[in-house]
Amino acid sequence: MKNYLLHHEWRIIEEGFHPEHNRMSESIFSLGNGRQGGRGNFEEHYSGDSLQGNYIAGIYYPDKTRVGWWKNGYPEYFAKVLNAANWIGIGISIDGEVLDLAKMEIDSFRRELNMKEGTLSRTFSALLKNGKKVEVSAKRFLSIVQPEIGVIRYTIKLLNSNAKIEATPFVDFEVENEDSNYDEKFWVGEYLENLGNEGYVSAYTKKTEFLVCSGMKFNAITNGKEHVLNITNESREKYIESSFSIGLKKGQELTIYKYGVNTSSEYFRKADLTAKTKELLNDAFETGFDKLYEEHRAAWERKWETSDIVIEDDVAAQQGIRFNIFQLNQTYTGDDDRLNIGPKGFTGEKYGGSTYWDTEAFCLPFYLATSNPIVAKNLLLYRYKHLSKAIENAGKLGFKAGAALYPMVTMNGEECHNEWEITFEEIHRNGAIAYAISDYINYTGDHGYLAPYGIEVLLGISRFWSQRVNWSDHKQAFVMLGVTGPNEYENNVNNNWHTNNIAVWTLKYTLESVQWLKQKHPDVWLAVKEKTRFNEKTEIAKWKDVIEKMYFPWDDERKIALQQDGFLDKELEPASTINPSERPISQHWSWDRILRSPYIKQADVLQSLYMFEQEYDKAYIRRHFDFYEPLTVHESSLSSCIHTILAASVGKPEKAYELYLRTARLDLDDYNNDTSDGLHITSMGGTWMAVVKGFGGMRVIDNALHLNPILPEKWESYCFRVNFRGSQLQIKVKSEAVEITNHSNGNLSLFVSGESVTLVKNQTSVIQLSIK
C-alpha cells in the first residue's frame, strides 16, 4: 500500500512531487468524458518515468496475437485501444533551459483532481540550473458538454529575475503503445496543417483505418492583455508545433490558453473530419476558457445530483467512493450503444481497453440506478448487436445450432483474448450476459426488452450451455469439464460450482422468458423461433433435463458447495498465513504454486451466492462466507466489493467495512501494486454496490424496492441517491432513522427493514429504526 495522497472529501491531492510514484499518479489524475480521455501527464517536457497516454473511444487496433504455440479456435489478434495524439503538450524553456521537473530543484508541488468539477490542476515552484526560479500553475479539463474539446490554462511566473520565455505548444501523433507486441506503431499520417497559432494533424490506424484529426489553437496573455505573437511553425510527419518567445520581468506572468479538439471517423464522415475539427476548435476558441469551464462545471453538478454518495465522519471512505463514482461518470456516458466500459477506461493501456464481463456483473447496477434508463439499456444493446459474433465465436470452438459464446475480451464482438485458460474455459462470462438482462428487467420493469432483443441473446446462450455439458455415466448427471471459474487462480477444473450454477439459472430464466413471450407477444415469439430456427420441443426438453440432472460438487460434512471437484484435496491454510512480503502472490509466486494452493483470487462460489441471494437463507450464505473468505487473497479488483455486500447481509459489519475500504481505495492506496498500469474502472461499479447494496441493503424483489440498511461504526451517517422506475430518491441512513426524500411527482411504496412504507411525492419520510 502507498499513502502519499492527502485525504479530502472532494479532491485527490498530491502535496509534494513523488517521482517514484509518478506513473501511479498519472493514472489517478486521469480525465475523461466518455469520448476521449487521458492520463495525468504534464503539459511541459518531463524526462522522468512516465506513461504518456491519450485515448479516443472506439478506436482500436487488432494487434497480432503473440503466443509460443497455436491452438484451433485461438483468436487471431488482441484488440487494444491505441495511444492517440498528445494534444496537451506545451514545451517551455527559460533563457534556453528546458523546463523539466526531473532536472530541477523543486521548492513546492501540488497536483489536484477536483472531482466535483472535473478538472485537473497543478502548481509548482522550482529552481532551474541556470538560476532562474519559476512558479507554474496549470489547469485543464475535457468537456463533458462538448466531448471533442479539451482546454488548458498554463501560467508561468518569474520569481527571482528577468528572463526570456520560449513556449512551444504542439500536437504529436508520432506515438506508440508501450504494450505493443512487436514494438509496432499503429498510426499512419494523412494530413498536416500548421499556420500561426492554429494547426491540425490527422492520422489513420493501420488495418482498421479509423481516422482521427487532432487540432490545437492557442493565445497568450501578459499583463492582463492578449499578447501579439511572432510565431514560428514547424511540421514533420504526424507532428506540428508553434513556437513564440516573450521577455518577462521578475514577478510577471505569461498565461497560455490552449484549446484542443479530437474528432474521429466514428462520429463524422472522413471527408469532413478536418473541416469539422476546424469548426469545433474555432467555436471553442471564440467561446473561451471561462465559459467552457462554467458549462462543464454545471454539467458535473448535474451528474453529482443523481449519483453522489455522502459519508459523514470518515474522510477516507468519502474520498474513496467519490473517486470511484467520478471515474465511472467520466468513462461511460451511455449515449452510444457501440461503446462499452474497458477495465482501465481512459487511464492506461493494460487489458487493451476492451470489454470484459465486468460490465454486466459490476457496472450495470450503477448506471441503472443513477442514470437515464437508456444508458443501461445501451449496455445491453451492445451485446445484442454482437450476438452474431458470439454465435461465430462458439462455432469456431465446434458448437452448433446457433449456440452463442460471448467473448472474454472484445471490441467488436470477436474474441480477442490470447490465453487459452481464459479464452476457452472462463465461460461463466456467458452467464453474466444473461444475468444482466434479468437485472435490467427486474430493476426497470421493462419486460419489453425481451421482445425481441433479450430473448435472442438468451436462446443463444442457453444453446451454448446445453451443448457445453456432457452426461457422466459415473455420476449419472450432467457435468461441465475443463473450465475456469471467476477464481482465475484455478484453471482447467471440472464442475466449477458457479459455472454450473449460472448455466442452470440461465436455462431456467430462458424458459421463463419464452413462456412470457408466448403469452404476451405470441407473434414476436413465432418470428424469433423462425429467425433462430429454434426447435421448441427438442431443445426445451434437453434444457429441462440439464436443469434437473446437473451435478454440483458438495461437502456433506461442512454442508457447503465446493468450488470445484477436488477442492478439498488442497492444503486449506487461510490466506492470513501467507508471509506479507509475498503478497500479492501473483507477483511473487510461480503459477504452478498458485494453482496448487487453495487461495482464491476473487469471489467464486460467493459470486453465485451474491447473484442469486434470494435462493439461499442467511445461514447458508454465512456458512459459505466463513469457509471461503479466509482463503481469499482479494487480488482481483472485483473481489472485495462482493465480499462487502455478503458480509453486510450476514451480520458481519466490521468485515464489511474493512473490505469496503479496500475496494473504495484500491487504486488510491495501490493495494495490489498495479495502479501505475491504470485504474480499475469496472471494479468501481462494485464499490458503488458495496455501499448501496451492501450497507444500504438495496434489493428489488417482486417489483418492489427493499432497503435493509446497516451503519458502519465509524460513520455518523451516509446518504445515496437512486432512480427507481421514474422516482428520484435520496436515502439517508442514520443510527436512529432512515430519511427518504422522494424528489418525484408521484408516490412510491417500498420496504425498509421489512416494513412497508409509502413515500409521498416531493416529501421526506422519516422511518424510525435502530440501525446497527
Side-chain angles (χ1 to χ4, degrees):
M1 286 177 60
K2 300 177 179 69
N3 191 29
Y4 69 96
L5 299 173
L6 303 184
H7 290 184
H8 188 283
E9 291 183 347
W10 276 109
R11 302 182 182 200
I12 311 299
I13 301 168
E14 179 186 9
E15 189 73 63
F17 186 39
H18 299 78
E20 72 279 15
H21 300 322
N22 188 51
R23 286 197 179 211
M24 175 178 164
S25 294
E26 289 176 334
S27 298
I28 287 171
F29 291 98
S30 295
L31 292 175
N33 62 14
R35 293 281 185 87
Q36 62 172 318
R39 291 169 59 80
N41 307 123
F42 298 157
E43 291 85 2
E44 75 278 356
H45 178 71
Y46 180 67
S47 61
D49 186 38
S50 173
L51 176 62
Q52 192 274 325
N54 291 282
Y55 311 99
I56 308 295
I59 306 300
Y60 70 95
Y61 176 83
D63 202 12
K64 185 177 180 181
T65 297
R66 188 173 189 173
V67 293
W69 74 106
W70 196 267
K71 299 192 185 310
N72 290 332
Y74 243 46
E76 296 183 0
Y77 67 90
F78 184 83
K80 56 183 57 177
V81 169
L82 299 182
N83 188 9
N86 176 11
W87 69 271
I88 69 171
I90 304 175
I92 300 292
S93 65
I94 300 171
D95 276 355
E97 183 177 337
V98 173
L99 188 68
D100 180 354
L101 279 173
K103 299 179 179 180
M104 301 168 68
E105 183 181 323
I106 301 172
D107 289 335
S108 65
F109 178 96
R110 184 181 178 96
R111 181 162 29 181
E112 183 176 299
L113 180 68
N114 185 325
M115 299 180 288
K116 192 172 187 178
E117 299 182 353
T119 60
L120 173 60
S121 301
R122 182 169 55 102
T123 59
F124 66 86
S125 62
L127 182 68
L128 284 78
K129 291 181 180 179
N130 63 17
K132 307 299 181 182
K133 189 171 184 181
V134 298
E135 181 181 271
V136 172
S137 174
K139 181 175 184 176
R140 74 176 186 252
F141 60 92
L142 289 169
S143 173
I144 58 170
V145 179
Q146 303 181 64
E148 292 82 15
I149 296 172
V151 191
I152 302 168
R153 184 180 66 201
Y154 192 92
T155 300
I156 310 161
K157 182 178 182 179
L158 296 178
L159 297 181
N160 66 346
S161 64
N162 304 339
K164 178 183 177 182
I165 309 293
E166 183 174 352
T168 308
F170 64 87
V171 175
D172 184 7
F173 232 132
E174 186 61 19
V175 293
E176 59 187 27
N177 273 51
E178 191 174 71
D179 67 349
S180 170
N181 282 334
Y182 296 92
D183 299 322
E184 184 178 7
K185 292 186 178 180
F186 305 118
W187 295 96
V188 178
E190 182 180 84
Y191 176 78
L192 288 174
E193 182 179 337
N194 194 14
L195 183 63
N197 66 337
E198 183 177 351
Y200 304 88
V201 186
S202 64
Y204 63 88
T205 56
K206 297 177 181 179
K207 296 184 181 180
T208 45
E209 296 188 345
F210 295 110
L211 183 63
V212 171
C213 183
S214 295
M216 71 168 182
K217 191 169 185 177
F218 63 89
N219 61 352
I221 306 295
T222 55
N223 299 320
K225 297 180 181 180
E226 184 167 351
H227 195 90
V228 178
L229 302 175
N230 182 16
I231 296 173
T232 300
N233 299 113
E234 183 178 329
S235 303
R236 56 182 182 267
E237 185 183 7
K238 293 180 285 185
Y239 177 89
I240 58 171
E241 68 177 33
S242 302
S243 300
F244 64 92
S245 298
I246 293 179
L248 290 185
K249 295 180 180 180
K250 176 184 174 181
Q252 285 189 324
E253 293 182 345
L254 164 66
T255 297
I256 301 168
Y257 289 95
K258 183 179 181 182
Y259 302 82
V261 166
N262 295 290
T263 58
S264 83
S265 54
E266 287 291 270
Y267 295 97
F268 305 101
R269 291 176 63 247
K270 290 182 179 181
D272 300 334
L273 202 59
T274 299
K276 189 64 181 178
T277 305
K278 290 182 178 181
E279 177 188 334
L280 290 168
L281 184 58
N282 281 289
D283 284 349
F285 188 81
E286 292 300 320
T287 301
F289 182 95
D290 291 340
K291 288 184 179 179
L292 289 170
Y293 164 69
E294 180 54 33
E295 69 177 19
H296 173 76
R297 185 207 59 76
W300 267 108
E301 184 177 7
R302 292 190 294 272
K303 279 186 177 291
W304 285 113
E305 284 177 356
T306 60
S307 60
D308 191 20
I309 291 177
V310 179
I311 297 171
E312 280 193 273
D313 283 355
D314 192 339
V315 177
Q318 176 68 86
Q319 183 186 49
I321 188 60
R322 282 194 172 131
F323 181 68
N324 284 252
I325 293 170
F326 173 76
Q327 295 295 341
L328 287 165
N329 276 328
Q330 72 169 0
T331 299
Y332 181 76
T333 57
D335 58 356
D336 186 345
D337 62 23
R338 297 173 300 172
L339 299 178
N340 207 284
I341 306 159
K344 296 295 180 188
F346 297 114
T347 71
E349 299 176 6
K350 193 173 181 181
Y351 303 125
S354 302
T355 299
Y356 286 61
W357 68 284
D358 309 13
T359 292
E360 283 74 20
F362 297 90
C363 295
L364 182 68
F366 169 78
Y367 295 106
L368 276 172
T370 65
S371 305
N372 187 296
I374 192 60
V375 173
K377 188 174 184 178
N378 277 342
L379 289 173
L380 301 187
L381 288 172
Y382 175 89
R383 295 296 191 179
Y384 172 75
K385 291 184 175 183
H386 288 175
L387 177 58
S388 62
K389 290 290 187 182
I391 292 171
E392 183 180 311
N393 290 336
K396 290 177 181 178
L397 302 185
F399 292 88
K400 310 295 183 184
L405 175 59
Y406 277 90
M408 186 68 185
V409 177
T410 193
M411 286 296 298
N412 64 357
E414 293 179 296
E415 177 64 76
C416 57
H417 197 285
N418 55 11
E419 295 173 321
W420 65 269
E421 70 274 14
I422 304 299
T423 303
F424 299 154
E425 295 194 342
E426 198 166 341
I427 53 177
H428 69 86
R429 64 190 188 249
N430 235 20
I433 309 299
Y435 181 82
I437 296 171
S438 169
D439 202 15
Y440 169 81
I441 293 172
N442 186 49
Y443 194 88
T444 64
D446 179 17
H447 287 272
Y449 181 76
L450 284 173
Y453 306 119
I455 193 62
E456 291 186 32
V457 173
L458 292 171
L459 290 175
I461 293 173
S462 291
R463 282 170 155 175
F464 171 83
W465 288 129
S466 69
Q467 295 178 47
R468 185 58 173 78
V469 300
N470 65 271
W471 179 257
S472 166
D473 285 335
H474 174 68
K475 288 185 168 61
Q476 287 295 293
F478 287 101
V479 295
M480 192 100 68
L481 307 179
V483 302
T484 295
N487 172 25
E488 293 172 339
Y489 287 174
E490 301 273 8
N491 301 147
N492 201 38
V493 302
N494 294 335
N495 296 305
N496 171 260
W497 194 85
H498 172 67
T499 305
N500 288 14
N501 194 41
I502 204 166
V504 167
W505 174 86
T506 303
L507 293 171
K508 289 179 179 178
Y509 183 65
T510 304
L511 289 176
E512 293 172 6
S513 299
V514 167
Q515 287 302 118
W516 183 87
L517 267 181
K518 288 171 71 173
Q519 294 174 8
K520 301 292 185 179
H521 301 281
D523 293 342
V524 173
W525 169 241
L526 290 175
V528 169
K529 276 182 60 177
E530 182 177 352
K531 178 181 179 181
T532 60
R533 299 181 180 179
F534 185 71
N535 189 318
E536 189 170 352
K537 181 177 180 180
T538 59
E539 294 194 64
I540 285 180
K542 173 68 180 293
W543 296 357
K544 290 181 176 179
D545 202 29
V546 173
I547 291 169
E548 181 183 349
K549 299 173 183 175
M550 179 67 89
Y551 170 74
F552 292 95
W554 178 259
D555 176 23
D556 202 46
E557 179 181 341
R558 294 176 177 83
K559 303 299 180 186
I560 59 166
L562 296 178
Q563 184 175 275
Q564 74 259 353
D565 287 349
F567 187 78
L568 292 181
D569 294 333
K570 295 173 178 287
E571 297 179 2
L572 301 177
E573 295 290 331
S576 60
T577 64
I578 302 172
N579 188 325
S581 68
E582 298 178 5
R583 303 285 292 269
I585 61 174
S586 63
Q587 297 175 20
H588 293 89
W589 287 13
S590 70
W591 195 243
D592 168 75
R593 185 181 179 187
I594 290 173
L595 290 175
R596 288 185 288 107
S597 81
Y599 300 124
I600 299 170
K601 183 181 180 184
Q602 69 189 77
D604 197 302
V605 170
L606 296 183
Q607 181 73 33
S608 261
L609 300 191
Y610 155 70
M611 295 173 84
F612 310 115
E613 179 186 32
Q614 304 306 318
E615 298 180 15
Y616 310 100
D617 61 39
K618 295 295 184 185
Y620 184 95
I621 296 173
R622 186 181 300 110
R623 192 161 63 245
H624 283 77
F625 187 94
D626 289 343
F627 179 76
Y628 283 110
E629 197 283 328
L631 298 172
T632 304
V633 289
H634 300 293
E635 291 180 10
S636 165
S637 64
L638 305 174
S639 183
S640 297
C641 57
I642 297 300
H643 287 84
T644 300
I645 296 167
L646 292 178
S649 74
V650 298
K652 296 177 179 288
E654 294 85 4
K655 191 67 177 179
Y657 178 78
E658 170 198 330
L659 292 167
Y660 163 75
L661 276 187
R662 183 185 179 102
T663 187
R665 301 194 61 85
L666 180 76
D667 289 314
L668 292 174
D669 295 340
D670 199 18
Y671 271 85
N672 289 337
N673 195 34
D674 59 0
T675 303
S676 59
D677 294 330
L679 304 178
H680 298 84
I681 300 298
T682 46
S683 76
M684 292 175 172
T687 304
W688 178 89
M689 293 195 306
V691 175
V692 175
K693 291 190 171 188
F695 301 129
M698 190 180 85
R699 308 287 190 273
V700 179
I701 304 171
D702 295 330
N703 291 306
L705 198 64
H706 288 247
L707 300 168
N708 288 285
I710 65 171
L711 182 66
E713 185 177 349
K714 293 188 177 183
W715 297 0
E716 182 69 22
S717 71
Y718 62 97
C719 178
F720 60 91
R721 297 175 181 235
V722 295
N723 171 26
F724 179 69
R725 301 192 181 185
S727 295
Q728 295 284 344
L729 306 179
Q730 178 177 298
I731 300 159
K732 184 171 186 177
V733 179
K734 302 191 293 186
S735 60
E736 72 285 355
V738 177
E739 298 175 359
I740 307 177
T741 302
N742 181 6
H743 295 287
S744 309
N745 293 322
N747 297 346
L748 177 72
S749 294
L750 49 66
F751 292 84
V752 179
S753 297
E755 296 184 14
S756 178
V757 176
T758 298
L759 305 176
V760 179
K761 61 183 181 180
N762 298 310
Q763 290 189 23
T764 297
S765 300
V766 179
I767 301 95
Q768 299 294 334
L769 292 170
S770 178
I771 307 294
K772 297 181 180 179

